[in-house]
Amino acid sequence: MDQEIYSKERSASLDLLLRFQRLLVSKLYPADCVGQISNTYSPDLLGVGSLLKKYTALLCTHIGDILPVATSIACTSHRHFAEVSCVVDGDLTGILLPELVVSVVLLLSKNAGLMQEAGAIPLLAGLLEHLDRFNHLAPGKERDDNEDLAWPGIMGSFFTGQSCRNNEEVTLIRKADLENHNKDGGFWTVIDGKVYDIKDFQTQSLTGSSIL
């Protein structure tokens, strides 16, 4: 229900595909029994599993054609990446694929034998390289990776009460420095006495610079 407004913006065909995908998942989701032996599955259930595999194959073929083109355009600049991301987000890649992956993982945890019998998971694995190439173009990706790698150390020092930096290592930025930096095309902003560089976020934001 939270997505009702967003749903109205989708095309009728895309909305129909999403409903069909959810119907397949609901048919495969076990009602009472979990962990059946593969040779005891009913023909109807195996038929739905086969249909899910065909559906996944068609979806992966489409996404496998779209993502290389999207990547080639997005690598031009951060602005191109932001525009292409909006297009991809409203396409099958952004609407059907995320929910399908979550659904497959859920089904796999409930009934691994049936999902292995269906054979849809290897098809999804073929998209990893395309998705990885596209995601590596995201602005600030290196910074995000560094923060992810540093996270255990940061949280460890946080819980032990030790500061990760000494006070003398903190850089002080004067108001004049901030104004000059922004005049030169930068985008620094002050929140609660701390200076944040939101230049990368500016290129991705759909709200425009004026609101930021």
Side-chain angles (χ1 to χ4, degrees), residues 27-28 36-49 114:
K27 293 293 184 182
L28 290 171
Q36 290 175 299
I37 303 173
S38 59
N39 58 11
T40 63
Y41 298 127
S42 68
D44 291 343
L45 202 57
L46 293 175
V48 175
L114 179 60

Side-chain angles (χ1 to χ4, degrees), residues 166-195:
N166 295 325
N167 290 334
E168 59 267 23
E169 294 178 347
V170 176
T171 303
L172 298 179
I173 299 176
R174 299 174 301 169
K175 183 178 180 182
D177 295 333
L178 184 142
E179 292 174 349
N180 290 333
H181 178 82
N182 289 348
K183 286 179 182 178
D184 293 337
F187 208 147
W188 286 356
T189 187
V190 180
I191 303 173
D192 294 333
K194 294 183 176 64
V195 179

Side-chain angles (χ1 to χ4, degrees), residues 78 139-141 143 187 197-205:
H78 289 342
K141 189 270 303 179
R143 183 184 66 248
F187 208 147
D197 187 353
I198 58 173
K199 182 68 176 178
D200 289 341
F201 179 75
Q202 178 193 12
T203 61
Q204 302 177 55
S205 175

